[in-house]
């Protein structure tokens, strides 16, 4: 009886070992087969990538690029499959900083190695025009290539009050000064900026430069909204509250400028002399609705 128990125990252990070996072998073969099917399902194609960091304006040379196998279904549009496409003929130049192992595309490169031109950055049917800047109108040098800006014109004509107009919204900055590098990191005060606009906007800006002063307002690069603005004048600077302005004393017998009230003492033939107060009551939208002039005694 004791011997039979020992035999049964040995047989059970042997069967357990056989089952473990069988399961390991079967699962391993199944995994290898599945991995082979997965590998076969992913198709790769030769793709040109940067072998090292490429700076803005550098010519693409054989030592700066290499070919790797890249999954075909994740390949970006405009990529290259052969080194000769980049290094032969006129050659190509980097239009922006390119990091190592990044896929090179047509949009990141300019054809021809002689010089870089802003024209290659323009979209179809768009124009490039330069706008004069100073420290204030250029947002203290914080405008960089690739930013989006709104363009305003401020004018002070002789026949009317000063006013401001919106000329363009969301215009893309192509260059600041002579720098087109979108990888530019340090702010710099420049005398001009080149922006991308429509032909009509270019016409308006060209005229505005001759009659007024242009300013730029920096906006978020993802903001593509279009805000409808009216012509802003001095009277529109009020936020809706009542404003009192002290009139300058009248001298030389000339009539005071601006709105006037009834003359003092009932004398309608002579303009009042002395200081006064102009009361402006604004509406909720900031537009002046009424004027009141109180002449000081």
């Amino acid at each position: 009886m004791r011997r039979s128990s020992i035999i049964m125990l040995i047989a059970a252990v042997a069967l357990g070992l056989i089952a473990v070996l069988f399961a390991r072998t079967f699962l391993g073969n199944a995994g290898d087969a599945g991995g082979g099917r997965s590998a076969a399902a992913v198709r790769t194609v030769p793709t040109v990538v940067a072998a090292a960091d490429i700076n803005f304006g550098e010519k693409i040379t054989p030592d700066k690029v290499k070919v790797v196998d890249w999954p075909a279904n994740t390949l970006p549009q405009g990529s290259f499959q052969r080194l000769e496409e980049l290094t032969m003929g006129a050659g190509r130049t980097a239009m922006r900083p390119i990091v190592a192992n990044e896929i090179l595309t047509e949009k990141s490169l300019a054809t021809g190695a002689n010089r870089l031109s802003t024209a290659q950055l323009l979209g179809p049917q768009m124009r490039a025009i330069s706008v004069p800047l100073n420290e204030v109108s250029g947002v203290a040098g914080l405008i960089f290539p690739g930013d989006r800006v709104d363009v305003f014109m401020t004018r002070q004509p002789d026949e009317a009050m000063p006013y401001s107009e919106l000329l363009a919204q969301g215009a893309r900055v192509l260059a600041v000064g002579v720098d087109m590098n979108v990888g530019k990191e340090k702010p710099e005060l420049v005398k001009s900026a080149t922006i991308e606009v429509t032909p009509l906007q270019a016409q308006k800006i060209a005229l505005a430069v001759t009659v007024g002063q242009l300013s730029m307002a920096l906006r978020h690069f993802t903001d593509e909204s279009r805000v409808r603005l009216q012509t802003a004048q001095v009277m529109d600077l009020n936020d809706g509250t009542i404003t009192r302005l002290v009139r300058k004393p009248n001298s030389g017998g000339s009539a005071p400028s601006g709105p006037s009230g009834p003359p003092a003492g009932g004398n309608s033939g002579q303009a009042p002399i002395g200081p006064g107060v102009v009361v402006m009551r604004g509406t909720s939208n900031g537009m002046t609705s009424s004027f009141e002039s109180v002449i000081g005694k």
Side-chain angles (χ1 to χ4, degrees):
M1 187 69 178
R2 184 176 180 182
R3 178 180 297 178
S4 61
S5 299
I6 294 174
I7 294 174
M8 292 179 62
L9 178 61
I10 294 174
V13 172
L15 291 175
L17 292 175
I18 293 173
V20 170
L21 292 175
F22 177 79
R24 182 177 297 178
T25 302
F26 177 78
L27 293 177
N29 293 336
D32 293 341
R37 287 194 298 269
S38 300
V42 178
R43 185 174 66 89
T44 61
V45 293
T47 305
V48 180
V49 301
D53 292 345
I54 304 175
N55 297 322
F56 168 79
E58 282 190 351
K59 182 180 177 181
I60 304 302
T61 55
D63 61 301
K64 292 185 174 65
V65 290
K66 63 182 179 180
V67 176
V68 299
D69 291 331
W70 197 273
N73 57 348
T74 62
L75 201 62
Q77 187 176 4
S79 58
F80 302 91
Q81 278 68 54
R82 296 184 297 110
L83 296 178
E84 293 77 10
E85 297 180 75
L86 301 176
T87 57
M88 300 297 291
R92 296 178 186 261
T93 305
M95 292 295 294
R96 60 173 178 81
I98 301 174
V99 299
N101 297 315
E102 179 181 347
I103 297 178
L104 275 65
T105 61
E106 293 180 354
K107 289 186 177 181
S108 62
L109 304 174
T111 303
N114 294 332
R115 66 182 181 90
L116 292 177
S117 172
T118 306
Q120 303 179 44
L121 301 175
L122 286 173
Q125 308 300 323
M126 300 299 284
R127 303 292 185 268
I129 189 168
S130 294
V131 177
L133 297 178
N134 55 39
E135 184 174 358
V136 176
S137 62
V139 198
L142 297 177
I143 295 178
F144 296 88
D147 285 342
R148 296 278 179 174
V149 295
D150 295 343
V151 183
F152 296 88
M153 179 199 70
T154 304
R155 187 179 178 221
Q156 187 171 359
D158 297 332
E159 69 280 3
M161 300 291 286
Y163 65 90
S164 177
E165 293 278 14
L166 174 62
L167 302 181
Q169 296 190 66
R172 183 165 61 101
V173 179
L174 302 176
V176 288
V178 295
D179 193 351
M180 297 184 295
N181 184 10
V182 296
K184 181 180 175 68
E185 297 179 352
K186 295 182 179 179
E188 180 184 4
L189 296 178
V190 295
K191 296 182 179 180
S192 66
T194 303
I195 59 177
E196 180 187 51
V197 293
T198 65
L200 179 59
Q201 290 171 334
Q203 182 183 29
K204 292 180 178 180
I205 292 175
L207 175 61
V209 169
T210 65
V211 299
Q213 180 179 354
L214 300 189
S215 300
M216 287 187 177
L218 185 63
R219 66 192 300 169
H220 196 275
F221 63 91
T222 62
D223 182 10
E224 299 182 357
S225 62
R226 294 294 182 268
V227 181
R228 186 177 179 84
L229 298 179
Q230 296 179 349
T231 300
Q233 295 183 300
V234 174
M235 296 304 179
D236 301 325
L237 300 181
N238 189 297
D239 65 352
T241 60
I242 297 177
T243 303
R244 290 178 172 83
L245 303 178
V246 178
R247 188 194 304 275
K248 293 181 180 180
N250 186 23
S251 60
S254 61
S257 60
S260 60
N267 184 5
S268 60
Q270 182 180 2
I273 306 298
V277 176
V278 178
V279 179
M280 298 188 298
R281 292 184 172 86
T283 61
S284 59
N285 61 4
M287 300 294 291
T288 301
S289 61
S290 64
F291 296 94
E292 218 178 291
S293 178
V294 181
I295 305 301
K297 298 181 179 179

